[in-house]
Every structure is written in C-alpha cells, then in structure tokens.
Amino acid sequence: IKVNPLQTTITSILNTGLCVGRDSDNKICFTTDNQIRFTVNNALDLILSENSLTPGTSNGTALGTSSLMWSDLFLASESVVNFNNGNVTVTHGDGVLQIDTDSKLEFGDTGTFIHQSANGILDLVSDDELELNATNEVEINTTLVDVNASGAITLNAEANSNITITGELDIDSSSALTVDSATSISIGTHQDKPIDIDASTLQIDASGGFSIDSGAVSSNITVTTGGGDDKDLTVSVDGGGDSSLILSSSGTAADALKIVTTAGGIDITN
C-alpha cells in the first residue's frame, strides 16, 4: 500500500487477496469469501464467518488457558453446549440446564453417576457407597420409595437430626438392614397402607426409643409361615443384668392386655 503523505484518511482497503499481519506466519486474511481467518505461528487458529466464530480445525484451539482465564461467559436463553467428544449435550431451558437423555453426569469414575435410565426415572448410581448427609434433615416426599440393595443399607441420623420419608416406603435388602438414630425412630403410615420391611436380617438400634404409629387403625407384627415350616417370632432382651421385657397397655377395657392363641396352648417358662 502506497500512501501519499498528504493522505490523512483511508476509508477502506478492499481486495480479494488481502492479508494483514506481522509476517507470513502471523496474519489476518480476507482471502476466503465471507470469512476472516486468523493465523498464528503458521497455524489457522480462528475463523470468523456469518453467525459463527470457530477454530481453524475441530478441537484445535482452546478458549483461555490455565493462567489466562476469561472472567465470565454469557449465553442467551435456550443456548446449547455440545461436548461432541463425549457425545453430551447440555441445553438451557426456563431456569434449568438439561443433559440429553442418553448421557450421564459422572463423579470420579464411570461407576458413580447420575442419569435418567428411563422416562421419568432418575438414577443415583455408585459402585461403592452412596451417602445422603445433611446437618439438619433429610426429607423425601414421594408416593413410593423403593430401596433395593444386595449389600447393607444404613440410615444414620446424628443427634438432633431427622430422616423423614413421606409416602410409600419399600426397603428390600438381601444383606443387613441397619436403621440407626441417636434419638428416636418413628415410622408412620396412614389409613390401611402397609409398612413392609423385607431383609435377611433387620437390626434397629435407637438409644432414644422406637415407635410405630399407624394412625387410626390397628397395628400388627406378624410372622407368616408357609410351606409347612415352623417359624417363631421372638421378642427378647439381651445383655443380662437387671434388664426387663415389658409388655404394657394404656387401654381402659377389661382386656387391655391380651395373650391369645387360636390352635395351641400357652407355655410360660421361668
């Protein structure tokens, strides 16, 4: 470009082969129609075209570095972030960020993640241990809580804390089931809805007490026999000393406390 010393203003420089830069390895070129191409150290790093700003090659240019970071990122409503190497799409909605249905949010390794296994089903998955910790309360409100585990299930509430589950509760464990509370454990149901706890062993440890509140209906603790097998229901106090097993009733009827058999006798042994 040759400029006359008397020329003080250049309004435009237009040429289909125009490049501007420090040298041939570091330049801005307008050689491609409808594109502005940025080359650094002889590598095409950035392309600005209509409605898009892209790297020169896929996965070729970073946005910021570990020492030079952008302060903020502003995206418009309904924007999409696509992690194509991992085939994950994150979409912005009305106050939400949505991960596409085939993707998982992993923590640490592939065995610990959150994902939607089916329509309307959210899975929290861990290959070792899954903990819900709260300083005050853990509250679950649903029509059904279904817990299945091949190992131990532990619900542990620290002092002055509560674990509250509202709705139908189904806990199934082929190993030990432990419910541990520093104060008390209260399991309540409404109307004639059942409480069904099924485990190979059931251990309930509560220093403050254990209560079952069935509301306005009667309560039953039943061992169901089947296949001709003899099964016993044993209520015992272990540990010796001055410990006692107490059966008490606050009812006002003449039969406030009943011991009933329907087909056999009553055997009391001291």
Side-chain angles (χ1 to χ4, degrees):
I1 303 174
K2 185 176 180 180
V3 180
N4 190 300
L6 298 179
Q7 180 72 46
T8 58
T9 302
I10 299 176
T11 57
S12 63
I13 301 175
L14 304 175
N15 190 284
T16 57
L18 179 63
C19 286
V20 179
R22 183 180 187 275
D23 50 38
S24 61
D25 292 337
N26 302 275
K27 58 190 177 181
I28 303 173
C29 290
F30 304 86
T31 54
T32 302
D33 191 26
N34 298 323
Q35 289 187 1
I36 302 176
R37 303 166 71 88
F38 297 81
T39 297
V40 179
N41 195 22
N42 201 31
L44 179 59
D45 280 343
L46 204 63
I47 299 175
L48 176 61
S49 58
E50 184 180 4
N51 297 328
S52 68
L53 179 64
T54 65
T57 58
S58 182
N59 199 26
T61 304
L63 185 63
T65 66
S66 59
S67 59
L68 294 173
M69 310 174 194
W70 297 98
S71 60
D72 297 293
L73 176 62
F74 294 90
L75 299 175
S77 180
E78 299 182 0
S79 296
V80 176
V81 180
N82 185 355
F83 300 91
N84 189 54
N85 284 349
N87 299 320
V88 178
T89 300
V90 181
T91 305
H92 171 263
D94 186 10
V96 299
L97 285 178
Q98 183 181 89
I99 300 178
D100 60 282
T101 56
D102 296 329
S103 300
K104 302 175 181 178
L105 182 60
E106 294 183 353
F107 301 88
D109 56 46
T110 57
T112 305
F113 55 87
I114 301 174
H115 79 133
Q116 184 186 40
S117 60
N119 186 28
I121 299 177
L122 178 64
D123 283 357
L124 304 179
V125 180
S126 174
D127 56 359
D128 187 4
E129 184 175 345
L130 180 63
E131 294 184 359
L132 298 177
N133 295 315
T135 303
N136 189 18
E137 290 187 0
V138 176
E139 184 172 345
I140 302 174
N141 294 297
T142 181
T143 56
L144 173 63
V145 177
D146 190 356
V147 181
N148 291 286
S150 58
I153 298 175
T154 300
L155 301 178
N156 188 3
E158 300 296 336
N160 300 321
S161 299
N162 298 317
I163 298 177
T164 303
I165 301 176
T166 303
E168 183 178 344
L169 175 62
D170 185 0
I171 300 178
D172 186 4
S173 174
S174 61
S175 184
L177 173 62
T178 301
V179 180
D180 188 3
S181 174
T183 55
S184 63
I185 299 174
S186 178
I187 300 176
T189 183
H190 300 281
Q191 304 302 323
D192 58 350
K193 302 301 182 181
I195 296 176
D196 186 4
I197 300 177
D198 184 7
S200 57
T201 60
L202 175 63
Q203 177 182 345
I204 299 176
D205 181 9
S207 59
F210 175 73
S211 64
I212 298 177
D213 181 7
S214 61
V217 298
S218 299
S219 300
N220 298 283
I221 299 176
T222 305
V223 172
T224 302
T225 61
D229 296 333
D230 295 331
K231 296 181 180 179
D232 297 328
L233 173 62
T234 302
V235 180
S236 65
V237 176
D238 296 330
D242 293 332
S243 301
S244 301
L245 175 61
I246 301 173
L247 300 177
S248 66
S249 172
S250 60
T252 59
D255 57 352
L257 181 61
K258 294 182 180 181
I259 300 177
V260 179
T261 63
T262 59
I266 297 177
D267 186 0
I268 299 177
T269 303
N270 186 351

